[in-house]
Amino acid sequence: MKIQILGAGKMGSFFADVLSFQHEVAIFDRNPEKLRFTYNCIRMSDPQEILDFKPEILINAATVQYTMDAFRQTLPFVPESCIISDIASVKTGLKEFYREEGRPFVSTHPMFGPTFANLDNLSFENAIIISESSHMGKVFFRDLYNSLKLNIFEYTFDEHDETIAYSLSIPFASTLIFASVMKHQEAPGTTFKKHMTIARGLLSEDDYLLTEILFNPHTPLQLERIQKELAGLLQIIETKDSQAMKDFLSAIRKNIH
């Protein structure tokens, strides 16, 4: 199959690497320097080249900030029969975009990234396939994600946004608050160092991505839950209520059991 990838960033290069051994892959990026780190595929920096390639499926791996722009720049050069797709972690506006385009599409979210994931073993990682996607698009990505041993879930666009608010907004917000009160530690403990590693990894991500995930309309509800729990914990600590602390810890252990 002829596969066109948009964006030679971390995820674009990863998908090009994974797919290039079984398919004919081309990768497009406006910045030719990024293409230096790709191999075993056709490199493109002019969208006109996509016209000659005639892809059967297009994977938009541009960063969230440029997902829509990447589609608009390249779709005039893509066959109408080509399945178009995105792997964006933020789906804002994509449901409406696909509806307006009228092309076969598939939207997925591989819920891992090169920052933290062990790309040699993804069996503990997850991927979401949007249920409104076209049948053949879903088949392609289900086969791909199965080959990577990912755990696959199928959600609607709306269900995806609710899930992301819970699974990303809570840890993102918690990590950002942790980092916001940090100061240099001469002899940090193990737990502190682990938290700092997570914070540094998170803050190495694109600011636009962090902003869009936190601006998810479902995020405020999750942050209100954090505020409520923090207020309860603060009261327990201020009153030195040992029994309340014991009950609090017991409830938390049940949550993560």
Side-chain angles (χ1 to χ4, degrees), residues 83-196:
I83 299 171
I84 61 174
S85 71
D86 74 273
I87 57 170
S89 54
V90 177
K91 303 298 184 185
T92 305
L94 283 168
K95 181 178 180 180
E96 294 74 19
F97 174 80
Y98 286 129
R99 185 186 297 124
E100 291 171 5
E101 278 295 317
R103 295 171 180 252
F105 78 91
V106 54
S107 184
T108 78
H109 180 186
M111 297 182 68
F112 62 89
T115 302
F116 293 119
N118 177 7
L119 299 181
D120 293 325
N121 181 13
L122 295 172
S123 59
F124 295 103
E125 305 293 346
N126 303 316
I128 293 173
I129 297 176
I130 300 301
S131 59
E132 290 104 320
S133 303
S134 64
H135 173 69
M136 291 308 297
K138 288 194 286 188
V139 168
F140 173 84
F141 273 97
R142 187 170 288 278
D143 288 346
L144 171 60
Y145 290 155
N146 275 327
S147 72
L148 296 173
K149 297 181 171 57
L150 289 164
N151 302 294
I152 303 170
F153 300 87
E154 192 165 313
Y155 295 147
T156 65
F157 276 109
D158 292 338
E159 288 170 341
H160 170 271
D161 289 348
E162 291 177 9
T163 299
I164 295 310
Y166 182 80
S167 64
L168 290 185
S169 294
I170 289 179
F172 277 26
S174 300
T175 299
L176 291 173
I177 295 302
F178 165 81
S180 72
V181 298
M182 282 302 96
K183 61 180 181 179
H184 178 68
Q185 299 288 314
E186 292 293 341
T190 301
T191 302
F192 181 90
K193 287 191 287 187
K194 287 183 177 180
H195 278 289
M196 284 298 290

Side-chain angles (χ1 to χ4, degrees), residues 38-52:
T38 60
Y39 65 98
N40 202 32
C41 61
I42 301 169
R43 303 173 184 179
M44 302 177 179
S45 56
D46 183 344
Q48 186 73 36
E49 298 173 86
I50 299 174
L51 188 64
D52 297 327

Side-chain angles (χ1 to χ4, degrees), residues 1 14 25 52 76 80 88 114 137 173 186-187 196 211 227-228 242:
M1 178 178 282
F14 170 74
V25 174
D52 297 327
E80 288 291 332
E186 292 293 341
M196 284 298 290
T211 301
Q227 287 181 315
K228 180 181 178 181
S242 298

